[in-house]
Amino acid sequence: MTDRVLVPFDDSEPARTALEEACSLFSDAELVVLHVLDASDAGSAIDGAGTEDLQVAEDELAEGLFADAHEIAAECGRTIETRVVRGQPAREIRRFAVDRDVDHVVMGSHGRSGLSRILVGSVAEEVIRNSPVSVTIARGTT
């Protein structure tokens, strides 16, 4: 039995599909939706913004993403736990899975920066290769 499922989440269609699939595949599991604020994207997020402004912008982004995630889960009759971490996405997903006793990861095939012709994005591929638990990859319609 899978007790705790991690769903990395960004603003991509495959991430939304992954959450929908996690809801249906793991109907009895606790679902944790994780958004990783990619440290390498921080400088390009808001040109000329100070650290405090960047923090506010990141918090607003996460709130919006989690509102979408809560809506998807509610449509499936589920509730979710949400978390935000900062760092390199694949590394943070793996670290979270280890530190938080995750039993399974369900994630999109590629994130917001992925191209539709790519079957598995670099973050998903790295998670697949290095995850301490099983990983299910969901393909979005993009």
Coordinates of all heavy atoms in Angstrom, one line a residue, residues 90 107-110 120-129 135 137:
A90 N 15.3 18.7 -9.5 CA 15.4 17.3 -9.4 C 16.0 16.9 -8.0 O 15.6 16.0 -7.4 CB 16.3 16.7 -10.5
M107 N 4.8 12.5 -11.4 CA 5.2 13.8 -12.0 C 5.0 13.9 -13.5 O 4.9 12.9 -14.1 CB 6.6 14.2 -11.6 CG 7.7 13.3 -12.3 SD 9.4 13.7 -11.7 CE 9.6 15.4 -12.2
G108 N 4.9 15.2 -13.9 CA 4.7 15.4 -15.4 C 5.9 15.0 -16.2 O 7.1 15.1 -15.6
S109 N 5.7 14.7 -17.4 CA 6.8 14.3 -18.3 C 7.8 15.5 -18.6 O 9.0 15.2 -18.8 CB 6.3 13.8 -19.6 OG 5.5 14.8 -20.2
H110 N 7.3 16.7 -18.5 CA 8.2 17.8 -18.7 C 7.4 19.0 -18.1 O 6.2 19.0 -18.0 CB 8.5 18.1 -20.2 CG 7.3 18.3 -21.1 ND1 6.7 17.2 -21.6 CD2 6.7 19.4 -21.5 CE1 5.6 17.6 -22.3 NE2 5.6 18.9 -22.3
V120 N 10.4 13.1 -22.3 CA 10.7 13.2 -20.8 C 11.7 14.4 -20.7 O 12.8 14.3 -21.3 CB 11.3 11.9 -20.3 CG1 11.7 12.1 -18.8 CG2 10.4 10.8 -20.5
G121 N 11.3 15.4 -19.9 CA 12.2 16.5 -19.7 C 13.4 16.2 -18.8 O 13.5 15.1 -18.2
S122 N 14.3 17.1 -18.7 CA 15.6 16.8 -18.0 C 15.3 16.6 -16.5 O 16.0 15.8 -15.8 CB 16.6 17.9 -18.2 OG 16.0 19.2 -17.7
V123 N 14.4 17.3 -15.9 CA 14.1 17.1 -14.4 C 13.5 15.8 -14.2 O 13.9 15.0 -13.3 CB 13.2 18.3 -13.9 CG1 12.8 18.0 -12.5 CG2 13.9 19.6 -13.9
A124 N 12.5 15.4 -15.0 CA 11.8 14.1 -14.9 C 12.8 13.0 -15.1 O 12.8 12.0 -14.3 CB 10.7 14.0 -15.9
E125 N 13.7 13.1 -16.1 CA 14.7 12.1 -16.3 C 15.6 11.9 -15.1 O 15.9 10.8 -14.7 CB 15.5 12.4 -17.6 CG 16.5 11.4 -17.9 CD 17.3 11.7 -19.2 OE1 16.9 12.6 -20.0 OE2 18.3 11.0 -19.4
E126 N 16.1 13.0 -14.6 CA 17.0 13.0 -13.4 C 16.3 12.4 -12.2 O 16.9 11.6 -11.5 CB 17.5 14.4 -13.1 CG 18.6 14.3 -12.1 CD 19.3 15.6 -11.9 OE1 19.3 16.5 -12.7 OE2 19.9 15.8 -10.8
V127 N 15.0 12.7 -12.0 CA 14.3 12.1 -10.9 C 14.1 10.6 -11.1 O 14.3 9.8 -10.2 CB 12.9 12.8 -10.7 CG1 12.0 12.0 -9.7 CG2 13.1 14.2 -10.2
I128 N 13.8 10.2 -12.3 CA 13.6 8.8 -12.6 C 15.0 8.0 -12.3 O 14.9 7.0 -11.7 CB 13.3 8.5 -14.1 CG1 11.9 9.0 -14.4 CG2 13.4 7.1 -14.5 CD1 11.6 9.2 -15.9
R129 N 16.0 8.6 -12.7 CA 17.3 7.9 -12.5 C 17.8 7.9 -11.1 O 18.5 6.9 -10.7 CB 18.4 8.7 -13.3 CG 18.3 8.5 -14.8 CD 19.4 9.3 -15.5 NE 19.2 9.3 -16.9 CZ 20.0 8.8 -17.8 NH1 21.1 8.1 -17.3 NH2 19.8 8.8 -19.0
V135 N 8.6 5.9 -9.5 CA 8.2 7.2 -10.2 C 7.2 6.9 -11.3 O 7.5 6.0 -12.1 CB 9.4 8.0 -10.7 CG1 8.9 9.3 -11.4 CG2 10.4 8.3 -9.6
I137 N 5.4 8.7 -14.5 CA 5.4 9.8 -15.3 C 4.1 10.0 -16.1 O 3.7 9.1 -16.7 CB 6.6 9.7 -16.4 CG1 7.9 9.6 -15.6 CG2 6.6 10.9 -17.3 CD1 8.3 10.8 -14.8

